[in-house]
RNA sequence: UCCUCGGUAGCUCAAUUGGCAGAGCGGGUGGCUGUUAACCACUAGGUUGCAGGUUCGAGUCCUGCCCGGGGAGCCA
């Protein structure tokens, strides 16, 4: 008999098939037994009927516990009463294992308990839906850049120096030297951009910040494109195209998952290019008009980001930040050297920053001066300044945080559910 | 790191002024001809986070510690 997956079950109505999976739930009523089976691709209701109380399949059914693993064979039928519209009339039931009492029940649990059982929590429908959206987002990102002839250039995770001196790094030993876990692939992207024109890297990054909020992970995934000869405005366009591409793809292919998450799609569907674009000055003015205590020169905190994204009904691009509050490599504005040619994309519905990027300094003298001003070790940045010695080129890029993007798409209260095994400030188990 | 809230049955929670530690879910047993987090009956299940203190008596009050939730700063 053919082994099939539940997501393909509609192709087999009227046929006998085999399904391999786990018990999701069960119900019984006299001469009928209902078995909800999940196989990783979906859930289907299996039915067993008999007039005979001692029917052998009933005895097997009665011994099943939640998450017991099994193989069932039976007839696929359409039935309006079945969740999903299809059900399996079970003819054979082969138990692989009767599971021990499963800790996660169909009722409520606390966050702490669920995080402690993350390895099992992944099996629940909502977690399944979130991670399906994540997988689709990753696929969309790769398709977007590959279709536009960006070259994937994997950057190292073990690095000898800080990309941005301000952030805390995870230190590890590298034989008789020290090494740090990468917090961004950007500096290396600038080197590969000079070799390949337009590049991107996509991988995990690590920040040893003691952040304990709904939008921070210690280990998170970031996609970072870098384009030789691109200006700030060029990569703002690129960022908008990327976000539109991801949005359309997820709305097209993962609508069922968004429904499981009870995520309203209308606010996502009305997003269109071009996104509103404001300078830092304009943003501060907008915030102050609405009663924010923000002073000029302050960086936006979470409340400001939330407020800004609520003012517009769209993702917002904020540009031209005071250079003081931004990274050392940011290109200053021609007319206002105190402003950096950087951009932050704030997602709609109060989700805050999902993209940060900008134009990089390409002038050797200016870059060396900045490295000094930021008290960075010049020697460690020798290779980086070399890029300005041998055919320097204006260039721009950005980083998009995968988990924040998925949290926004799914409208989740906390980023921890957007990655299978989140690394958080006080949690590295499981 | 700081602010704030919490820790009671496997899970989610309740316990009035300091006065017999309880319910729902889950488990077990039985019942029910189509269930949708099914339902009904019965049943087992406790070092009240840890250590001290006050008191005739502490889940409840006090001190210290441990663990966790929410938030801030920083950032994607």
């Amino acid at each position: 008999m053919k082994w099939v997956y539940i997501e393909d079950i509609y192709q087999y109505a009227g046929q006998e098939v085999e399904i391999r999976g786990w018990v999701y739930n069960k119900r019984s009523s006299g001469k009928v037994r209902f078995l909800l089976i999940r196989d990783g691709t979906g859930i289907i209701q299996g039915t067993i009927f008999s007039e005979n109380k001692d029917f052998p399949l009933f005895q097997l059914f009665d011994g099943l516990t939640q998450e017991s693993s099994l193989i069932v064979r039976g007839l696929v039928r359409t039935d309006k009463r079945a969740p999903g519209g299809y059900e399996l009339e079970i003819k054979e039931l082969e138990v692989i294992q009767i599971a021990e009492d499963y800790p996660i029940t169909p009722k409520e649990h606390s966050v702490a308990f669920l995080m402690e059982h993350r390895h099992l929590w992944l099996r629940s429908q909502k977690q399944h839906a979130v991670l399906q959206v994540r997988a689709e987002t990753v696929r969309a990102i790769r398709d977007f850049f590959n279709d536009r002839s960006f070259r994937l250039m994997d950057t190292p995770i073990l690095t000898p120096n800080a990309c941005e001196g301000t952030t805390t790094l995870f230190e590890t030993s590298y034989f008789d030297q020290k090494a740090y876990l990468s917090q961004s692939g950007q500096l290396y992207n600038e080197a590969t951009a000079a070799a390949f024109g337009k590049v991107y890297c996509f991988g995990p990054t690590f920040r040893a910040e003691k952040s304990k909020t709904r939008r921070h992970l210690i280990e998170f995934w970031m996609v970072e494109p870098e384009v030789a000869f691109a200006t700030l405005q060029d990569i703002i366009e690129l960022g908008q195209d990327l976000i539109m591409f991801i949005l359309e793809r997820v709305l097209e292919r993962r609508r069922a998952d968004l429904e499981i998450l009870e995520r309203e799609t209308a606010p996502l569907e009305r997003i269109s290019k071009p996104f509103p674009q404001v300078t830092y000055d304009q943003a501060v003015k907008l915030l102050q008009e609405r009663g924010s205590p923000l002073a000029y020169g302050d960086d936006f905190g979470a409340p400001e980001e939330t407020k800004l994204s609520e003012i517009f009904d769209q993702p917002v691009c904020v540009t031209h930040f005071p250079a003081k509050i931004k990274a050392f490599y940011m290109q200053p504005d021609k007319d206002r050297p105190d402003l950096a040619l950087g951009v932050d994309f704030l997602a709609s519905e109060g989700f805050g920053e999902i993209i940060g990027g900008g134009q990089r300094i390409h002038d050797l003298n200016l870059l060396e001066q900045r490295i000094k001003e930021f008290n960075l070790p010049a020697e460690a940045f020798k290779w980086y300044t070399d890029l300005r010695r041998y055919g320097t080129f204006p260039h721009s890029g950005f980083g998009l945080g995968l988990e924040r993007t998925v949290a926004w798409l799914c409208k989740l209260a906390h980023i921890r559910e957007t990655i299978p095994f989140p690394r958080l400030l006080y949690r590295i188990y499981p």
Side-chain angles (χ1 to χ4, degrees), chain A residues 160 172-179:
Chain A
T172 183
S173 64
Y174 194 82
F175 305 109
D176 53 350
Q177 292 182 53
K178 278 179 187 170

Side-chain angles (χ1 to χ4, degrees), chain A residues 32-95:
Chain A
V32 197
R33 301 282 194 278
F34 298 98
L35 188 62
L36 287 166
I37 304 156
R38 57 166 202 91
D39 73 348
T41 73
I43 296 173
I44 191 167
Q45 173 166 279
T47 57
I48 307 169
F49 295 87
S50 180
E51 296 294 324
N52 177 7
K53 259 180 75 173
D54 300 321
F55 190 51
L57 274 180
F58 279 4
Q59 287 168 0
L60 273 174
F61 173 96
D62 291 344
L64 291 173
T65 55
Q66 197 184 346
E67 288 303 320
S68 289
S69 42
L70 43 71
I71 296 173
V72 293
R73 298 180 195 90
L75 179 67
V76 179
R77 297 196 317 204
T78 56
D79 193 310
K80 270 181 279 178
R81 292 167 298 186
Y86 292 87
E87 64 181 20
L88 186 76
E89 191 184 319
I90 296 173
K91 303 206 163 152
E92 287 175 46
L93 195 164
E94 200 179 302
V95 176

Side-chain angles (χ1 to χ4, degrees), chain A residues 397-411:
Chain A
F398 64 77
L400 173 131
L402 175 63
E403 288 79 12
R404 285 186 181 179
T405 303
V406 175
W408 169 56
L409 294 171
C410 297
K411 204 171 182 177

